[in-house]
Amino acid sequence: MEQTAMTATQPAPTPTTVKARRRPKITSYGTVIGMIVVVLAVGAIKPSFLGLPNLQAVLVEATVLAVLAVGLSIVMSMKGIDLSIAVTADVAGYIAAKTLLEGNGLGAALFAALAVGLVVGLVNGVLAGFLGVPAIVATLGVNLLLSAVGLVISDNGTPQQLFTAPAAVVGDFLAIGTGSVGPVRILIIVAIVVVAIAWFATRRTVWGRGIDLVESSSRAAFLAGVPVRVTFAAGFVACSVLAALAGVMLTARTGVVVPGTAAPLLLDAFTAVYLGSIASPKGRIRVLWTVVGALFVALLANGLTLLGLGAPWRFALNGLLILAALALGALRTRTARR
Amino acid sequence: MAKPSSVTHTPSPATGTVVAAVREAVVTFGETTVLHGVDLELVAGTVHALVGQNGAGKSTLVKALMGVNPLAGGHIEIDGERVSISGASDARRQGLEIVYQDQPLAAHLTVAENMFLGREPRAGGVFLDSGQMNRTALEVLSRVGAVCSPTDLVGDLTPSQRVQVSIAGALAANPRVLVLDEPTAALGAAEAAPVFDIVRTATSQGVAVLYISHRLREITSLATTVTILRDGRLVRSSPAAELSTDDMISAMVGRDLDALYPVVPHTAGEVVLTATGLKSGELLTGMDLEIRAGEIVGLAGLVGSGASEALLALFGAEKSTGQVSVDGKPVSVGNPRSAIASGMALVPEERRTEGIFPGLSLLSNITAASLRRHSRFSVLNSKEEKRTADGLIDKLHIVASSSEQDIATLSGGNQQKAIVGRWLARGGRVYLVDEPTAGVDVGAKIEIYRQLGELAAGGAAVLVVSSDFEELIGISDRLLVVRDGAVTGQYLRGEVDVEQLTSDAAAVGATENEVRLATEAPVAESAKPRAVLSSRPWVRQIGLPLAMVLVIVILALGSPGFAAPLSLLDVVRQASTPALLAAALAIALGAGAFDLSVGGVALLTSTVSAALIAAGVPTPGAVVAGIAIGAGVGAVNGLITVAFRVPSFVATLGMLFLLVGATLQINGGLPIAVAQGSDFLMLGQGYAGYLPIVAIVAILVIAVATVVWRRTATGLRLRAVGDDAKTSELRGVKPGINRLLALILSASISGLAGVLLTSYGSGATARDASLDLLTTALAAAFLGSAMTRSFLFDPATAAIGALFVTAVGAGLISNGLSDQWLPGVQGIVLLLAVLLAVVRRRALGQVAIF
């Protein structure tokens, strides 16, 4: 502000200059502090909640959601949206299981699942990025289509049960979901690798910078020669591939797959992205903050279960938390504007 | 609100009386005084022209008159009496109307709807008096000689017609004073002619017109009186007949500016950029250019001359045709990436929206166009980026705490330097600079001029467009005069002064009259064929419904049982609740509010009504409870959205969770059955004669909603807010309150749908169907929007969309398809409908998610 004040002859300060003023540190981390308080409060009532075994279990629970939400955050950071992630995860998980049970081996199963993600992502990306169909409509259409595909290939929702199949066929696959390397579960390693790659891709590559530029101003990005459409479409591809991977992880963990399993994860993923963005100091959608959001959602679900509060409370508290976070965010911008 | 306007009761003041006056107006912004005691008198039946350079205080004065800028001194008189005007709608009540430069109109509404938005004539206090609207609109439109019908969509109009509609909208309010702020700024000479006619017509009917324009030739032909402002002071006010354009120019200019233009020696070399026959849009009609290395060339043209457009066309930012080459190598036009690859660099006019990346660091802003250079295998090299950024910050004297500072926090001049730096980092050969010093202070101006000189000294070709001709003369080695989309003259440095250049660019001469004659003649004739044209939208629209009927017919042919009356009635019965939900969602979406909670509301009210009936509450009680719960949820949704100024998408996401939680709390995860024989079940399963009661209820509710949506003033406002919130706000239609209303309506209808769902299914399920209900409704709402002329959401077409999807599903099943494909059918139908919209190049009703 000092500089503008010194040199401005134009009387009206632009809104951007005011909004971008540095905020006091403590308020910018208010949401995180709130999250920690909630977690500690649950821990105070139910000490086992913060015990190591439970935390480890929550971490494993959170991996699928984190991978899904991280993909979604890439699309949403460009003001896009992807409603098809949960059903992509379902179909990919189902196809992986089917491929596996037909005796094609781990590699083929993984390949088939990720191919599903790639195709869905390409369709979404072409529709939203190149044909100009609003992302919400394009991905809604794809979501409906895929849920039909899921019903048809599963013969109206017949589960594929992996855990009853011979270990020689499914053992490697299930090891992804249940095995450990040393003390660390493979799922956690996978999630960490995914998050690391996503972080690197969005923060350290030309494409990631393109995302920032498109997010800030797509017109200016176009005029600066950023391939806006490709960048946008690639976000959908990344999102769908990660969704497919999340489907594989989910299937490997539970050992059974039936279309519709991942459906509740869609709203959880939105919640994780929003909570993460509201918690981040600048209010932006970022990969690492999305992980924070996902961890919190998983912790909360687990904590409520430990407290003996069932599904109604889980939903209601999720809703209240979103609204509370909104209120907090609104208060923050309002104080920052003053 | 203003009472319904009518053109018949014109209280035409006698020509020659002062209708409104500004006396010794002083306006201050903070500690800066921007208007120093200016007087202005507006006389009935005359045109008063207000001229001055950018920043002379014209807009400030007008806004003071319109009650937007509070006066720190002086006052306003209407009919000789002191009044205080508080805000735009107050000014309207006093008979003051203003048409802003590029007056925004809601593109998806009709001409008549745009003209009367915010002061709709009503019949019976509620309904839109569309008869009177169209009559009055037609009358005013023909009075101003506009060639469009009241029922045309504004989005289909030409820029010139839009200006006509804007002015007609102001005139329809029957004002005493009409303020026109650069009405012709976006128009070419030919297009501007009808606007002058409107002004003449208005004055002949006793309206006092205040006319602001940069085009001095317009003023000499239109105005009775001219007031000239400079630096917030009135420098001259006299009858137009006593002033030549030269007099006006010298009164407008007259500042000592010798020290402003630093001398940076540079010499012209080889030709770098050539363009021949460059055409783009309506303004650029065929421009030839040749720019040399080490040369600064100024394009001197008025707004609308095609000068700015030439830069965008060269850079490929606008669709264009013609040959362009850099260093002899041809550049494919119409694509910024090939322009950039050839060495072109654009410094755009709208720095804040087209130049900078707000919220990102100075560093990211500087390296935005040269990311390849700062990366290996697509991985960014932060050290190299920092070196480049720091080097340029140093070289260009950008004042910033570090390269990490958010560019939005820098001053305009420093932002401008950063954009130049962006292209220096890229190694640009040709710099296309549009309005380099708009909105920057004098100190920064000198810096920017020096930089342009240094760019040329470094061997770059620099092409500058500026509406400040002094500046252009001060910095250019060569000046090209641009008029009507082509270069019409050339001067070398020192050969021309501001007066000469302005009159060249304005070219007072015969051309305008010729153009006028050419455009006037067809006006009267084309009014008739237009009537035929306006029926064409129906032809365009009929395609999708025809296709839908065809699909149903084919399905019926395949399975005759499906076409039996009873079977079709069953489809209607089955479609009733989805249709209600689709209509509900369409209302929310159509008002620009995303309501994710419609399915959740239906889920909750379904469960609550089942529980109430099971507890012995009579049927009407359960229905009322359902609607009331819906209304309550909608009110909370709306209040959160408005109070926290958050996207309704997020607010309703939170609400959706809450509703699902509440539902689970009530049903404890178990279905609630309604005992057979309960009269409550009649609602969803009974028949009145042959007709299912549930369908009658749905049709009635949707019919009422549609009448409200299409035929009432409230509905118009809801639609306007959804189409263009900013425009609506300018007309005094508040987006917040209207979205609140839309969310309440949508949730109430959803609440009713939930009750019907329970009656239809003999109880409430335990399954969380909220998302399924939502996606079905979304698909139907979008399908329905593709059926309307303007692709806006509409409750009736959304309901038809739901009916169609249900019918196709039932038809496919009776043709032997597995019902597993049902969601797929929905998805394909939705995507096809939307792709149709895209093919027809229609912007879909934009949904504000974030």
Side-chain angles (χ1 to χ4, degrees):
Chain A
M1 269 315 277
E2 285 86 347
Q3 281 131 6
T4 40
M6 266 195 323
T7 47
T9 53
Q10 297 283 322
T14 58
T16 39
T17 51
V18 181
K19 216 164 67 185
R21 222 183 324 183
R22 273 179 186 274
R23 302 189 193 95
K25 276 277 185 226
I26 194 78
T27 54
S28 44
Y29 288 100
T31 313
V32 186
I33 294 168
M35 286 177 175
I36 294 172
V37 168
V38 170
V39 169
L40 290 180
V42 176
I45 304 171
K46 205 86 187 176
S48 64
F49 174 61
L50 291 179
L52 202 58
N54 188 55
L55 285 183
Q56 224 164 12
V58 173
L59 213 53
V60 173
E61 288 269 333
T63 51
V64 176
L65 177 60
V67 170
L68 207 58
V70 160
L72 184 62
S73 76
I74 294 174
V75 169
M76 286 179 63
S77 67
M78 287 184 278
K79 299 189 171 74
I81 193 166
D82 190 345
L83 295 178
S84 66
I85 48 172
V87 69
T88 303
D90 267 338
V91 171
Y94 194 91
I95 287 193
K98 210 170 175 187
T99 317
L100 206 61
L101 288 177
E102 283 162 7
N104 294 314
L106 178 65
L110 291 181
F111 178 81
L114 295 182
V116 169
L118 190 68
V119 170
V120 173
L122 283 173
V123 171
N124 282 339
V126 167
L127 284 171
F130 288 91
L131 295 181
V133 179
I136 184 159
V137 186
T139 57
L140 172 65
V142 168
N143 169 60
L144 290 168
L145 251 178
L146 276 178
S147 54
V149 169
L151 284 176
V152 171
I153 57 170
S154 69
D155 195 18
N156 214 7
T158 315
Q160 294 278 6
Q161 298 189 332
L162 293 177
F163 53 81
T164 53
V169 180
V170 297
D172 290 349
F173 186 81
L174 290 182
I176 298 175
T178 51
S180 304
V181 175
V184 187
R185 290 283 290 270
I186 294 177
L187 278 180
I188 294 178
I189 297 175
V190 172
I192 288 175
V193 170
V194 165
V195 169
I197 293 175
W199 174 83
F200 186 81
T202 53
R203 303 312 319 150
R204 288 283 181 268
T205 67
V206 172
W207 176 62
R209 184 63 59 77
I211 292 176
D212 285 357
L213 298 176
V214 171
E215 175 192 15
S216 170
S217 167
S218 59
R219 173 76 179 162
F222 171 70
L223 291 179
V226 176
V228 175
R229 286 172 188 279
V230 176
T231 307
F232 194 57
F236 283 94
V237 173
C239 178
S240 294
V241 168
L242 287 188
L245 180 62
V248 169
M249 291 163 68
L250 186 64
T251 306
R253 182 158 67 83
T254 56
V256 58
V257 56
V258 53
T261 323
L265 289 176
L266 174 62
L267 289 187
D268 281 349
F270 274 121
T271 313
V273 174
Y274 275 121
L275 288 181
S277 78
I278 294 171
S280 79
K282 284 186 176 174
R284 294 222 181 103
I285 296 174
R286 289 280 180 267
V287 166
L288 293 183
W289 283 105
T290 302
V291 174
V292 171
L295 282 176
F296 182 71
V297 169
L299 271 172
L300 191 73
N302 171 272
L304 291 176
T305 313
L306 285 185
L307 290 175
L309 298 172
W313 285 97
R314 222 199 115 196
F315 279 109
L317 272 175
N318 253 352
L320 280 178
L321 275 172
I322 292 180
L323 297 181
L326 276 183
L328 207 69
L331 277 180
R332 203 171 67 187
T333 29
R334 212 158 287 175
T335 32
R337 253 178 225 150
R338 264 184 215 131
Chain B
M1 271 290 110
K3 59 181 170 172
S5 51
S6 131
V7 197
T8 42
H9 75 289
T10 312
S12 182
T15 297
T17 55
V18 176
V19 185
V22 180
R23 306 282 182 205
E24 294 177 19
V26 178
V27 174
T28 55
F29 290 132
E31 287 166 19
T32 334
T33 303
V34 288
L35 212 55
H36 307 263
V38 174
D39 286 296
L40 190 72
E41 280 190 348
L42 301 174
V43 177
T46 66
V47 177
H48 193 136
L50 190 58
V51 297
Q53 289 192 302
N54 286 343
K58 293 172 305 207
S59 310
T60 312
L61 177 57
V62 167
K63 283 182 179 160
L65 174 64
M66 298 302 292
V68 178
N69 285 341
L71 288 174
H75 64 272
I76 292 168
E77 284 173 13
I78 305 276
D79 290 332
E81 289 191 26
R82 252 180 108 135
V83 293
S84 76
I85 298 176
S86 55
S89 49
D90 196 22
R92 276 183 144 186
R93 233 162 306 169
Q94 309 265 12
L96 309 178
E97 284 286 330
I98 182 163
V99 178
Y100 289 101
Q101 184 181 351
D102 57 54
Q103 173 90 349
L105 296 168
H108 294 85
L109 299 186
T110 67
V111 166
E113 286 171 338
N114 264 290
M115 283 172 62
F116 293 100
L117 180 60
R119 49 171 168 231
E120 305 83 2
R122 298 178 191 206
V126 181
F127 297 103
L128 278 182
D129 189 344
S130 47
Q132 200 206 321
M133 260 171 69
N134 285 340
R135 264 197 315 280
T136 313
L138 197 63
E139 199 266 328
V140 181
L141 286 171
S142 69
R143 190 147 54 97
V144 302
V147 197
C148 60
S149 145
T151 53
D152 284 347
L153 289 181
V154 161
D156 291 339
L157 301 182
T158 64
S160 161
Q161 284 175 320
R162 285 180 196 223
V163 176
Q164 290 173 335
V165 170
S166 300
I167 300 177
L171 284 177
N174 199 17
R176 291 130 57 77
V177 174
L178 175 63
V179 182
L180 300 175
D181 187 358
E182 302 242 19
T184 56
L187 305 180
E191 296 171 309
V195 176
F196 305 148
D197 292 339
I198 298 180
V199 174
R200 292 198 183 96
T201 319
T203 50
S204 75
Q205 283 157 356
V207 178
V209 176
L210 179 60
Y211 192 93
I212 302 172
S213 179
H214 277 306
R215 297 183 176 179
L216 300 180
R217 62 172 163 166
E218 293 180 357
I219 284 160
T220 42
S221 69
L222 269 182
T224 319
T225 319
V226 179
T227 291
I228 301 165
L229 297 184
R230 189 172 73 217
D231 297 335
R233 291 192 166 78
L234 194 156
V235 286
R236 187 158 181 186
S237 185
S238 46
E242 294 174 13
L243 282 170
S244 68
T245 38
D246 285 351
D247 294 338
M248 285 192 247
I249 292 165
S250 49
M252 281 162 60
V253 189
R255 253 193 301 167
D256 186 24
L257 295 156
D258 291 343
L260 201 49
Y261 303 103
V263 180
V264 184
H266 53 270
T267 45
E270 293 294 303
V271 170
V272 177
L273 174 77
T274 52
T276 37
L278 193 63
K279 288 182 191 170
S280 170
E282 295 176 17
L283 294 177
L284 194 59
T285 55
M287 185 176 282
D288 301 330
L289 286 172
E290 231 183 44
I291 319 289
R292 296 171 176 279
E295 181 184 42
I296 301 178
V297 176
L299 283 185
L302 300 174
V303 180
S305 65
S308 284
E309 290 74 14
L311 293 193
L312 291 177
L314 280 172
F315 193 68
E318 293 290 335
K319 284 212 171 91
S320 50
T321 57
Q323 278 84 50
V324 177
S325 64
V326 173
D327 289 330
K329 290 188 217 79
V331 180
S332 76
V333 294
N335 178 2
R337 284 170 65 72
S338 60
I340 291 169
S342 75
M344 278 195 248
L346 177 73
V347 183
E349 175 179 5
E350 296 290 333
R351 184 173 49 244
R352 272 197 293 136
T353 56
E354 303 198 314
I356 64 164
F357 294 101
L360 296 186
S361 66
L362 189 50
L363 178 144
S364 297
N365 271 275
I366 288 175
T367 59
S370 53
L371 292 174
R372 295 268 159 231
R373 291 195 178 187
H374 295 95
S375 62
R376 271 187 74 182
F377 307 117
S378 267
V379 176
L380 290 170
N381 183 337
S382 342
K383 269 186 201 150
E384 208 150 296
E385 274 194 288
K386 185 148 172 50
R387 197 176 314 132
T388 305
D390 286 342
L392 284 165
I393 289 169
D394 204 38
K395 181 177 170 196
L396 299 174
H397 307 293
I398 299 175
V399 183
S401 56
S402 80
S403 62
E404 286 306 311
Q405 191 175 346
D406 180 353
I407 189 149
T409 62
L410 298 182
S411 70
N414 282 310
Q415 291 177 353
Q416 190 74 314
K417 292 186 211 168
I419 295 169
V420 171
R422 178 187 302 165
W423 296 112
L424 287 174
R426 167 93 202 186
R429 297 266 291 131
V430 181
Y431 284 77
L432 310 170
V433 188
D434 201 358
E435 301 287 352
T437 60
V440 306
D441 54 88
V442 176
K445 272 185 186 177
I446 299 173
E447 278 289 320
I448 289 168
Y449 297 146
R450 203 168 49 76
Q451 266 156 36
L452 293 177
E454 277 168 6
L455 284 177
V462 182
L463 186 59
V464 183
V465 169
S466 172
S467 57
D468 183 348
F469 285 176
E470 260 172 48
E471 161 178 300
L472 220 46
I473 290 170
I475 58 178
S476 304
D477 302 316
R478 189 153 62 91
L479 282 158
L480 303 176
V481 180
V482 179
R483 187 154 32 89
D484 298 335
V487 174
T488 57
Q490 171 171 296
Y491 294 102
L492 294 180
R493 190 184 277 279
E495 283 182 358
V496 67
D497 56 12
V498 176
E499 283 81 353
Q500 182 61 42
L501 198 58
T502 308
S503 81
D504 273 13
V508 200
T511 45
E512 188 197 319
N513 286 328
E514 285 162 18
V515 169
R516 160 86 50 73
L517 284 174
T519 51
E520 248 173 19
V523 165
E525 286 168 30
S526 56
K528 266 184 192 166
R530 189 73 202 180
V532 183
L533 277 180
S534 59
S535 70
R536 258 186 51 215
W538 287 103
V539 181
R540 276 189 293 176
Q541 255 172 284
I542 204 76
L544 185 58
L546 269 185
M548 290 164 67
V549 170
L550 199 66
V551 169
I552 301 291
V553 167
I554 291 171
L555 288 173
L557 288 178
S559 164
F562 169 59
L566 274 180
S567 171
L568 282 182
L569 271 183
D570 199 52
V571 168
V572 173
R573 201 165 72 98
Q574 204 183 327
S576 295
T577 40
L580 275 175
L581 285 175
L585 188 60
I587 289 175
L589 289 171
F594 206 114
D595 191 350
L596 281 180
S597 67
V598 285
V601 170
L603 186 73
L604 176 64
T605 60
S606 166
T607 305
V608 168
S609 63
L612 287 178
I613 295 293
V617 174
T619 305
V623 174
V624 169
I627 297 174
I629 290 175
V633 169
V636 174
N637 279 338
L639 288 175
I640 293 173
T641 309
V642 175
F644 296 150
R645 292 203 201 109
V646 291
S648 50
F649 184 83
V650 196
T652 54
L653 173 69
M655 180 54 80
L656 173 58
F657 276 117
L658 271 177
L659 293 171
V660 174
T663 306
L664 289 175
Q665 187 67 44
I666 292 169
N667 67 14
L670 297 169
I672 305 178
V674 173
Q676 285 303 325
S678 162
D679 62 342
F680 174 70
L681 296 182
M682 280 298 286
L683 206 53
Q685 300 174 11
Y687 284 82
Y690 286 110
L691 293 174
I693 293 175
V694 66
I696 297 175
V697 173
I699 290 170
L700 276 179
V701 171
I702 292 166
V704 170
T706 307
V707 167
V708 169
W709 188 250
R710 295 187 186 172
R711 299 264 178 248
T712 67
T714 311
L716 172 59
R717 291 173 177 207
L718 292 178
R719 284 183 282 138
V721 165
D723 187 20
D724 193 332
K726 227 180 235 171
T727 300
S728 308
E729 202 154 18
L730 276 179
R731 310 294 182 81
V733 176
K734 298 209 165 60
I737 187 89
N738 280 292
R739 291 208 172 120
L740 170 66
L741 181 62
L743 285 169
I744 292 177
L745 272 176
S746 127
S748 306
I749 297 175
S750 310
L752 175 65
V755 176
L756 293 179
L757 210 56
T758 298
S759 177
Y760 179 75
S762 302
T765 65
R767 205 171 62 85
D768 172 10
S770 57
L771 269 188
D772 294 343
L773 293 173
L774 173 70
T775 42
T776 312
L778 257 182
F782 277 108
L783 179 60
S785 88
M787 259 184 271
T788 62
R789 173 156 76 120
S790 49
F791 282 97
L792 285 187
F793 294 99
D794 180 276
T797 59
I800 293 172
L803 180 63
F804 176 72
V805 171
T806 312
V808 169
L812 285 174
I813 288 171
S814 71
N815 273 280
L817 186 88
S818 147
D819 61 353
Q820 296 158 4
W821 280 110
L822 283 188
V825 172
Q826 274 185 37
I828 289 175
V829 168
L830 172 65
L831 284 179
L832 285 180
V834 173
L835 279 173
L836 190 80
V838 172
V839 168
R840 281 206 250 151
R841 293 187 177 281
R842 284 289 193 175
L844 276 158
Q846 277 304 310
V847 183
I849 297 174
F850 297 101

